């Protein structure tokens, strides 16, 4: 049995895809595919494993080792039952949304976090899938969800740090590839496949769905956990006693960034996509259509990646 790790990222339609996988479990099972999604992974299966590196105590380490054993047993049971592929879809394997906001960097401890799962999955994991999103929308969506949870609107200093911080999707991808060198890493731009989970499923499994099978699947056009609208954010801020106008983008979305910041973030994302389209130095394959000819993987290169993080700036709460 082969294993696909779907790492998210947050705010890239992961919840919609996970609900799609769960809602079509019977159809997938008929093809020998089973999916573990957050309703399962967050009910004890990953206990002790989803932790910041500085928050791992001896009791948590012991709990994590027990979880690795439980995962190994359940993977073996699935294989004996005739399953051909396990999809593990859990964005918190890469890091949490709160961590990204607090550190003002995308997934600052991706490598260390993934290393905790390597003993459970690396021998069978042949595919890793990551969805990325333009930085302006990624940070706006994270911040909007943060406001719903009580976070303040990002001030000018925080916005400047988000725009100028050096960590890019490219480095996250390099760290994923280094942590799981036996697997092929596939990267999906959110903008290319939003709202079409059946195409994302093709990337997860490596096979395009037959037309008839795709038509029988439910939830393919759901849109879950959408970012709050500008009006909703205005109401929340008014309830807190803040009555300033919120900035709205050209497509009627809330955005904290001004035009110059927006242009800078878009340019940074364009550089990432250009690197991926040029082959990503052998680390990953960019998937923009998920048709049969696009699901082939490039030859991976090995080696470690340098650590460009500044611990003084990566403030963990």
């Amino acid at each position: 049995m082969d294993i696909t790790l779907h790492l998210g990222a947050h705010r890239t339609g992961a919840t919609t895809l996970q609900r799609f996988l769960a809602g079509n479990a019977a159809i997938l099972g008929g093809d020998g595919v089973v999916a573990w999604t957050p309703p399962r992974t967050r009910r004890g299966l990953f206990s002790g494993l989803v932790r910041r590196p500085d928050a791992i105590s001896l009791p948590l380490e012991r709990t994590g080792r027990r979880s690795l054993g439980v995962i190994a047993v359940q993977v073996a049971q699935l294989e004996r039952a005739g399953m051909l592929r396990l999809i593990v879809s859990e964005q918190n394997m890469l890091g949490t949304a709160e961590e990204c906001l607090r550190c003002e960097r995308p997934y600052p401890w991706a490598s260390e976090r993934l290393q905790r799962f390597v003993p459970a999955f690396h021998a069978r994991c042949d595919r890793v899938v990551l969805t990325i999103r333009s930085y302006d929308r990624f940070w706006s969506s994270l911040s909007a969800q943060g406001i719903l949870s009580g976070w303040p609107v990002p001030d000018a200093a925080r916005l400047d740090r988000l725009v100028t911080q050096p960590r890019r999707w490219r480095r996250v991808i390099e760290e994923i590839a280094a942590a799981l060198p036996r697997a092929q890493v596939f990267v999906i731009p959110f903008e290319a496949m939003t709202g079409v989970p059946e195409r994302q499923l093709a990337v997860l499994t490596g096979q395009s769905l037959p037309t008839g099978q795709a038509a029988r699947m439910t939830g393919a056009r759901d849109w879950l956990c959408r970012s709050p609208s500008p009006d909703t954010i205005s109401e929340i801020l008014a309830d807190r006693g803040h009555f300033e106008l919120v900035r709205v983008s050209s497509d009627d979305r809330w955005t904290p960034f001004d035009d110059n910041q927006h242009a800078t973030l878009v340019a940074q994302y364009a550089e990432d996509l250009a690197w991926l389209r040029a082959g990503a130095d052998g680390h990953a394959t960019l998937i923009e259509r998920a048709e049969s000819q696009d699901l082939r993987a490039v030859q991976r290169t090995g080696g470690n990646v340098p650590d460009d993080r500044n611990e003084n700036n990566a403030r963990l709460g």
Side-chain angles (χ1 to χ4, degrees), residues 1 9 20 23 42 49 54 69 71 86 139 142 147 178 183 198 207 210 230 233 257 259 263 265 279 291 294 304:
M1 184 178 72
F20 174 78
R42 298 178 190 178
L49 297 175
D54 67 332
I71 291 170
L86 168 64
W139 288 119
L142 275 185
I147 290 172
E198 70 275 18
Q207 297 179 343
I233 291 176
F257 300 106
D259 291 343
L265 293 171
E291 296 174 1
D294 301 313
N304 297 322

Side-chain angles (χ1 to χ4, degrees), residues 124-195:
R124 299 173 184 268
C125 178
D126 66 335
R127 302 176 78 84
V128 177
V129 178
L130 174 73
T131 303
I132 61 176
R133 189 175 187 179
S134 183
Y135 296 108
D136 60 311
R137 293 288 176 81
F138 176 73
W139 288 119
S140 294
S141 188
L142 275 185
S143 298
Q145 289 299 116
I147 290 172
L148 291 181
S149 301
W151 283 66
V153 174
D155 59 18
R158 177 180 286 269
L159 293 174
D160 182 66
R161 291 192 296 270
L162 291 177
V163 173
T164 59
Q165 64 85 22
R167 189 168 173 82
R168 303 281 180 265
W169 290 123
R170 173 174 178 169
R171 183 48 52 91
V172 175
I173 292 164
E174 289 172 338
E175 290 180 3
I176 293 170
L180 295 157
R182 297 185 182 184
Q184 296 287 343
V185 180
F186 296 88
V187 180
I188 303 173
F190 171 83
E191 299 79 10
M193 291 198 204
T194 180

